[in-house]
Amino acid sequence: MSTAELPIAPLGLGRAALPRIVGSPVERIDAVEKVTGRAVYAADSRLPRMLHGAVVRSPHACARIISIDTSRAERLPGVHTVVTGADTARVKWGAFRPDLYPLAIGRVRYVGDEVAAVAARDPETARRAAELIHVEYEVLPAVLSLDEALAEGAPLVHDDAPGNVAHEFGFDRGGVEAWFDRSDVVVEGTWQSERQWHGSIETIGCTAEWTRDRVSLWVNTQTPFLARQRYATALGLPLRAVRVVQTEVGGGFGGKSGDDNTSVICALLARRAGRPVQLVNTREEEFLASRPRIPMRYTVRLGFTEDGLVTAKDIEVVADNGAYTGKAQAVLGAATVRHDALFNYRAVRAHSRLIYTNLEPTGAFRGFGNPSADWAVGQAWDLAAARLGIDVPDLFLLNAVESGSVSPHNHKITSCELKQCIRRAAQAIGWQAKRAERTPHRGLAMGVSVHVSGRRSFGDYDGSSAIVRLTEDGRATVIVGEGEIGTGARTTLAQIAAAELGIPVADVSVPRPDTDLTTHALGALASRVTYVAGNAVQRAAQQACERLLDAAARQLDRPAAQLWVEDGTVHGPAGPDGEGPVSAPVGAVVRAELYRPGGEPIVGLGSFDNPSEFPDGSRYGNESGAYNFVAEAAEVEVDPATGAVRVLELAAVADCGTVLNPPLAEGQVEGAIAQGLGMALTERFHWQEGAPVRPNFSDYKLPTAGVMPKLHIGFADSYEPTGPFGAKGVGEIALDPVPSIIASAVADAVGVRVHELPITAEKIYWGMRNGEPGAAVPVTSAPAVPAVQDPSPPAGADRAGQEGDPR
Amino acid sequence: MTTLDSGPLPVGASPAPVTLLTPATLDEALRLIAGGGAAVLGGGVGHTLRRGERRRPAPSPLVSVAHLPGLTGITRGEDHLAIGAGVRLAACAADEELGRAWPVLTEAAGSVATGRIREMVTLGGNIAARDDSHDPPVALTAVGATLAVRSATGSRTLTVPEAARLRPDELIEHVRVPLPAPRTGSAYEKFLVRGVWEYACVNVAAVVTLEADGTAGHLALAVGSVAGGPVAVDLTGLAGAPADAALVAEAADRAAATTSPYGDVRGSAAYKTRMIAEFARRALTTAVRRAAAAPDRPSKHSAGGDR
């Protein structure tokens, strides 16, 4: 394939002919370094004279700090410095609502809140010194659940947030009540999601080093440039005083997007110690003080005509912010509006509130609000299908958006193969056959979701820029600030550059982001890198290729338009005067262009801004230039004697436009399904006094291979005209519908619909006993949240109970 | 209650460095622990897990015993099998003779954690950890195994539930498992919330010996993950009845009625009580089926040596 032979000329249906390398299973460019253990993760960084940090955290959900005695810690041999809130700039920071001090000043607001920190010669000494710091607290009343936080006269988590409301918004677009009046069928219910932790293999970590008045931070962050902005604020420094370099990232999933204090404290320690300091979360700290998924209590009302057309949707969302805000405000925004780009609602209304509690702060997690929305709204759709007597896939097909649809929030749907996804997922799971011949205690269900490819949310910019530099040894360096969090983004960007340039992927390197060296980028969030950065890299590579061919034209004496690059060599046709075909290696052309009087390097610059709109305060605005879709169907089996759920099969068909690298895309879908199953079935803690009792993987059960069902993964035949080679994002979407699908399948299997995540065997068990006539022990206790109506054990039967579970 | 309880906050505590002693003989090990204060290290799994606990002073020194000669084999005696305390659970689970005699033991040993962990955990360490959710002690309780225990000054025999009375200066030398009577069946059932690699929600072991007329001459149930566990369920009065569904149900209900599970992340106490009945029923049903298929006289084996 050559760039000259096949310039990306539009074909029918807006599609372009795709270079061979696009859609091929190119090996990850970082595969060998990862498999051989040479990849440098946050805790692998080593700087001369480096110290190690440890953090003292609050044991109380809410308390006033009376005094902090650091003298014993400071006297411990090997300790270099101790910092407290008094040593900070006393500046509150946060992505949207600045409410977090780097180290507590005056007050702690959750179990795990950072109070002091130590730097010492080794991690063990630092931790022992942290133990020697004595903090005297006056314990204050805390609000340990949404209900407690919302109660009349409840203690305030922050004095400037009356009613503990951190953020609130709403809208009524299209006149919901009028549409409900015209509806034949209305369904309603409340569904509650839970905190879910990212469970990354690598915990959050940072290494900091000061040179004069500038600090360099080597962080396993998903978003180096956004993190730099926030860290500079938190440290009371001008932006230019902070440099962030991305290390290898052992799992991001939203949890490493820079809303926590670890890097800030690391920088404070390094400044005070006058030496580099490394600070890495323990697993326990990761569970107590990272930014897990936001629990949402989500009440949905849906209206339909008797023939199944959806009319109106009305939602009331109450979200548990925890003690500090971070990105929770944006997550709630997504949870409120995103779903409306999925079906042709005539009218939508919402009232959403983000509520402070004295619990662990919540934030970004793969799906970014969508999973909680899809869980609740998906359940309402499943109920509606039953009420209407229409099979779920048919009801979805009747109402699904398609190319050209515009949502009530002005989401403009460009490419959309949602209907294809629904049909193919049904086919893959064997929907018709399984419906025709039902097996006892087995249930079948389907769910759908929509996600963005980048989201205009951090200011009126969702762009990316890239520099492609051709080197005199015939390689290409793609300089882009987006980075790699394990999804294979660097490989995909290398593939895009290689496809444009006509050189092998192995000859493309993509250095890690460094705010001093690489282009500005928002980083790996909102499923944006392939789409937004992919476009920037493609444009940069196109420009580099044009400049290469211009240089080669002069060198080879052929018109540039007749030249093409293939496998790292520039080729030209036979000349008009009988000369034979010409060729020159890319490196030779680059070198010759440089090594001449007035010579120049060959560099291409490309930039792309997501063709989207910055949503207004009521979240009106086209968030993204491209939307990706998924339909998933699952069959489960429930053991009626225990309530235990086994997911037998799960089919997922995603529309992410052109699949640039099938194994990488499949990996994203499989991993997202696994995390969705964890959210649905296994992941929870036992809580006491505002914190998990045992914050470790012994209690917190991530799904293992044994939980995974047989998967049928497919991709829709799709092409996004604004995407690089037709591609859209795919990193998050497959997680979104999973909890709802599992809940619906369980309801289909045994008639029990669980309203609170996770869907445990116990909840199903009690639900089945309640539902069976003549059950030995009737369910007599009132659910904690009446609207949630969860099956629960008989009153008084459970000694340990579940009190303390935050709701 | 599992021994992984983390104790009070705040977080951030770190275990201090510890001394590890590696005696060459059992007698030397017993002398090292005779003074108290030392902690015994078998496969080291329990110790490693506990190292992460907050606010728990690390014991020192550690005395490693898993490698001691004479503790790492399974020996057949006239009427029993003696399993050395240093035998790894993976070896227990894979032992053919043990599996023929007591499938409940090999099933329990094979259900612990993961294959890699079973290669590390010793049977003695698993029992001595005195964790009511551990699987092998539940199965050993049901089969009526005893513990041969030694200190520097003497030796004694304990039942498995009596492991709670192990003194700090004592080591389990081996576990003595009686050979089953003819027409004996056994089975182990473990209910897991996730399905793999976790402590049980409930775990139950069952043993049944059938008489020629189809009645249950002997039956035993042991339950783990309950207060004071493993608990040998009192089945007085049930032996002699026909080994049918009614007897199984009666015994299973008694297991549920006489044990006290606790609520935790794996389920509420009320739910666990229901599950104890359910899994006791399953274990007994399998045990009865296996007993009916078992040979009606003891199988002839050559006396085995230390393997």
Side-chain angles (χ1 to χ4, degrees):
Chain A
M1 194 69 49
S2 83
T3 48
E5 279 175 334
L6 283 175
I8 303 308
L11 300 179
L13 303 171
R15 297 199 181 198
L18 298 175
R20 185 184 65 229
I21 207 165
V22 168
S24 71
V26 172
E27 182 182 280
R28 295 177 69 116
I29 62 175
D30 53 3
V32 171
E33 59 188 276
K34 282 192 167 177
V35 170
T36 56
R38 281 185 287 125
V40 178
Y41 291 88
D44 300 325
S45 298
R46 287 291 174 272
L47 294 174
R49 303 170 69 241
M50 186 178 89
L51 304 173
H52 295 266
V55 176
V56 180
R57 296 175 182 277
S58 168
H60 304 295
C62 186
R64 189 171 70 85
I65 298 172
I66 296 170
S67 65
I68 304 175
D69 179 0
T70 61
S71 58
R72 286 176 69 210
E74 282 161 354
R75 286 199 300 271
L76 186 72
V79 170
H80 285 251
T81 194
V82 178
V83 293
T84 69
D87 304 305
T88 67
R90 295 170 180 265
V91 173
K92 289 181 183 173
W93 67 287
F96 293 97
R97 183 186 169 98
D99 54 11
L100 174 69
Y101 285 118
L103 289 164
I105 292 180
R107 188 104 163 246
V108 288
R109 295 185 171 84
Y110 73 100
V111 175
D113 212 347
E114 295 88 0
V115 177
V118 180
R121 66 185 171 211
D122 54 63
E124 289 75 22
T125 305
R127 296 226 158 262
R128 270 207 299 289
E131 282 220 278
L132 295 174
I133 292 174
H134 180 72
V135 185
E136 195 183 345
Y137 295 102
E138 178 196 356
V139 178
L140 301 172
V143 287
L144 299 181
S145 68
L146 279 176
D147 289 318
E148 287 180 26
L150 290 167
E152 188 78 27
L156 294 185
V157 179
H158 292 268
D159 293 337
D160 63 351
N164 287 316
V165 177
H167 182 63
E168 182 172 14
F169 73 100
F171 49 76
D172 182 348
R173 305 201 219 282
V176 161
E177 285 308 331
W179 279 101
F180 276 123
D181 288 344
R182 295 167 60 181
S183 301
D184 304 307
V185 168
V186 175
V187 293
E188 187 168 5
T190 298
W191 285 272
Q192 169 89 40
S193 58
E194 258 292 9
R195 270 181 180 70
Q196 183 188 19
W197 280 262
H198 311 86
S200 294
I201 293 174
E202 184 201 27
T203 60
I204 293 166
C206 175
T207 308
E209 180 181 41
W210 288 78
T211 40
R212 299 207 292 190
D213 55 355
R214 254 190 124 217
V215 63
S216 294
L217 303 169
W218 287 263
V219 193
N220 53 10
T221 176
Q222 299 177 226
T223 56
F225 288 84
L226 293 176
R228 174 179 64 153
Q229 175 74 58
R230 286 182 216 135
Y231 297 159
T233 304
L235 292 164
L237 294 171
L239 190 59
R240 65 174 178 276
V242 179
R243 168 188 174 215
V244 173
V245 184
Q246 185 188 54
T247 64
E248 195 70 63
V249 181
F253 312 119
K256 293 195 176 104
S257 54
D259 297 306
D260 63 289
N261 267 326
T262 297
S263 297
V264 179
I265 294 169
C266 187
L268 289 167
L269 285 171
R271 182 166 58 188
R272 287 268 296 192
R275 288 168 68 154
V277 172
Q278 183 167 93
L279 182 62
V280 180
N281 280 1
T282 62
R283 180 59 61 186
E284 193 172 65
E285 289 175 301
E286 194 88 345
F287 275 126
L288 290 175
S290 59
R291 298 295 182 267
R293 189 185 300 289
I294 309 173
M296 295 188 195
R297 187 185 302 162
Y298 207 112
T299 301
V300 194
R301 189 158 61 116
L302 293 180
F304 290 85
T305 64
E306 63 185 349
D307 48 5
L309 287 177
V310 71
T311 52
K313 165 172 168 272
D314 189 14
I315 57 171
E316 170 87 30
V317 188
V318 188
D320 180 354
N321 193 27
Y324 302 103
T325 304
K327 278 194 282 292
Q329 184 173 322
V331 176
L332 180 61
T336 305
V337 303
R338 180 79 46 76
H339 172 92
D340 300 340
L342 199 48
F343 296 116
N344 290 312
Y345 294 106
R346 275 74 186 168
V348 291
R349 183 166 65 188
H351 177 212
S352 292
R353 284 176 295 163
L354 184 64
I355 303 300
Y356 279 120
T357 58
N358 288 114
L359 297 169
E360 181 174 357
T362 54
F365 192 133
R366 196 180 205 170
F368 210 73
N370 251 10
S372 293
D374 284 341
W375 145 246
V377 185
Q379 287 303 282
W381 273 82
D382 199 61
L383 284 175
R387 285 273 300 280
L388 290 160
I390 301 175
D391 214 13
V392 169
D394 294 333
L395 187 63
F396 287 167
L397 286 170
L398 201 57
N399 292 285
V401 296
E402 43 197 11
S403 291
S405 295
V406 179
S407 85
H409 314 295
N410 207 37
H411 297 111
K412 295 189 170 97
I413 310 300
T414 49
S415 60
C416 175
E417 295 297 338
L418 177 58
K419 290 180 180 177
Q420 185 191 148
C421 293
I422 294 167
R423 291 193 183 96
R424 285 181 50 191
Q427 200 171 23
I429 200 83
W431 188 280
Q432 298 295 349
K434 287 183 165 119
R435 270 279 169 267
E437 195 164 343
R438 295 191 62 107
T439 308
H441 305 121
R442 285 195 182 183
L444 190 62
M446 178 179 275
V448 289
S449 191
V450 57
H451 217 93
V452 291
S453 304
R455 176 178 189 238
R456 215 170 190 82
S457 153
F458 298 96
D460 193 1
Y461 176 68
D462 183 21
S464 191
S465 51
I467 297 166
V468 170
R469 174 184 160 236
L470 293 177
T471 61
E472 57 285 357
D473 56 359
R475 297 170 51 85
T477 304
V478 177
I479 299 164
V480 59
E482 304 288 356
E484 170 70 80
I485 62 168
T487 59
R490 288 161 73 211
T491 302
T492 311
L493 296 178
Q495 236 176 310
I496 289 169
E500 278 298 335
L501 293 166
I503 66 175
V505 176
D507 286 342
V508 181
S509 48
V510 186
R512 292 206 158 268
D514 176 336
T515 55
D516 276 5
L517 295 176
T518 52
T519 56
H520 183 89
L522 301 188
L525 40 78
S527 299
R528 63 186 290 285
V529 173
T530 297
Y531 176 73
V532 181
N535 266 315
V537 168
Q538 185 176 21
R539 291 174 183 193
Q542 281 166 352
Q543 192 180 82
C545 193
E546 280 167 24
R547 291 179 178 174
L548 175 76
L549 295 182
D550 286 346
R554 288 191 293 275
Q555 294 168 23
L556 299 173
D557 198 23
R558 296 284 186 280
Q562 291 181 8
L563 300 176
W564 70 94
V565 190
E566 194 171 340
D567 285 336
T569 302
V570 181
H571 297 277
D577 305 322
E579 313 96 320
V582 289
S583 70
V586 167
V589 176
V590 174
R591 187 184 158 84
E593 178 66 1
L594 198 56
Y595 276 68
R596 63 177 173 82
E600 287 184 340
I602 295 182
V603 174
L605 174 65
S607 82
F608 176 80
D609 188 15
N610 206 330
S612 53
E613 300 163 358
F614 190 48
D616 67 14
S618 72
R619 304 278 165 184
Y620 181 89
N622 186 29
E623 304 174 277
S624 185
Y627 295 86
N628 46 87
F629 299 88
V630 77
E632 295 176 29
E635 185 180 32
V636 306
E637 185 165 60
V638 178
D639 180 344
T642 64
V645 178
R646 198 154 65 90
V647 185
L648 302 172
E649 278 183 83
L650 194 150
V653 180
D655 167 11
C656 59
T658 301
V659 178
L660 296 177
N661 187 321
L664 289 180
E666 284 161 21
Q668 287 304 303
V669 173
E670 287 175 12
I673 289 168
Q675 273 181 321
L677 289 172
M679 181 182 175
L681 290 168
T682 64
E683 295 182 32
R684 67 187 291 228
F685 273 122
H686 195 54
W687 289 71
Q688 255 169 25
E689 291 164 14
V693 175
R694 280 179 292 272
N696 56 45
F697 282 129
S698 171
D699 266 19
Y700 194 73
K701 296 179 202 313
L702 294 181
T704 63
V707 174
M708 289 299 281
K710 181 179 179 188
L711 294 177
H712 311 271
I713 291 175
F715 294 95
D717 179 23
S718 171
Y719 187 91
E720 168 54 45
T722 65
F725 299 111
K728 302 188 274 191
V730 72
E732 301 173 80
I733 185 155
L735 189 157
D736 300 347
V738 174
S740 178
I741 294 167
I742 301 304
S744 298
V746 167
D748 187 45
V750 293
V752 174
R753 193 173 291 275
V754 174
H755 285 249
E756 281 174 314
L757 294 179
I759 303 159
T760 61
E762 176 167 4
K763 290 174 186 171
I764 297 167
Y765 176 88
W766 294 122
M768 290 177 74
R769 295 309 174 281
N770 190 34
E772 281 177 14
V777 180
V779 174
T780 53
S781 66
V785 182
V788 170
Q789 302 278 341
D790 236 359
S792 49
D798 179 2
R799 285 176 293 116
Q802 293 179 350
E803 68 275 5
D805 279 9
R807 292 281 178 265
Chain B
M1 189 70 76
T2 165
T3 54
L4 290 180
D5 197 307
S6 298
L9 298 166
V11 302
S14 166
V18 293
T19 305
L20 175 67
L21 303 174
T22 54
T25 65
L26 179 58
D27 287 338
E28 194 185 339
L30 290 170
R31 281 197 302 277
L32 287 172
I33 65 170
V40 177
L41 196 64
V45 172
H47 175 73
T48 305
L49 290 174
R50 278 193 297 275
R51 266 178 78 85
E53 291 175 31
R54 284 172 274 137
R55 294 286 183 195
R56 182 185 291 267
S60 188
L62 293 171
V63 179
S64 175
V65 299
H67 60 287
L68 292 178
L71 299 187
T72 54
I74 301 178
T75 322
R76 184 188 169 103
E78 188 62 26
D79 59 350
H80 70 276
L81 294 167
I83 310 173
V87 174
R88 312 282 169 165
L89 295 189
C92 282
D95 193 87
E96 287 183 18
E97 184 170 18
L98 193 59
R100 270 195 304 274
W102 293 113
V104 65
L105 293 183
T106 50
E107 287 169 0
S111 75
V112 172
T114 66
R116 274 183 288 179
I117 292 173
R118 291 192 293 271
E119 290 288 351
M120 293 298 297
V121 174
T122 61
L123 182 63
N126 189 261
I127 297 166
R130 286 164 280 189
D131 185 323
D132 65 46
S133 66
H134 281 185
D135 300 291
V138 178
L140 289 166
T141 300
V143 306
T146 54
L147 309 176
V149 171
R150 270 183 62 187
S151 69
T153 56
S155 59
R156 58 177 179 150
T157 300
L158 299 175
T159 67
V160 176
E162 283 171 344
R165 304 218 296 260
L166 269 176
R167 296 195 311 262
D169 66 336
E170 285 181 320
L171 283 178
I172 300 171
E173 190 177 4
H174 62 260
V175 181
R176 190 183 160 101
V177 180
L179 288 175
R183 299 199 77 206
T184 294
S186 67
Y188 190 72
E189 286 285 348
K190 180 180 185 182
F191 182 42
L192 301 171
V193 171
R194 172 171 59 185
V196 289
W197 196 1
E198 56 184 321
Y199 290 97
C201 175
V202 302
N203 38 358
V204 181
V207 174
V208 176
T209 302
L210 295 180
E211 300 297 334
D213 60 0
T215 58
H218 167 76
L219 70 169
L221 272 176
V223 182
S225 306
V226 294
V231 169
V233 179
D234 182 356
L235 299 177
T236 307
L238 295 187
D244 56 12
L247 177 68
V248 166
E250 171 77 25
D253 287 347
R254 213 179 277 187
T258 59
T259 51
S260 303
Y262 40 81
D264 61 14
V265 75
R266 290 170 277 277
S268 68
Y271 177 65
K272 288 183 178 183
T273 291
R274 300 290 191 94
M275 292 303 104
I276 287 169
E278 173 63 23
F279 285 88
R281 187 188 63 72
R282 293 183 188 190
L284 276 169
T285 303
T286 304
V288 169
R289 182 167 47 75
R290 286 176 176 167
D296 52 9
R297 57 185 68 236
S299 55
K300 297 283 184 211
H301 282 293
S302 57
D306 191 347
R307 302 191 308 274

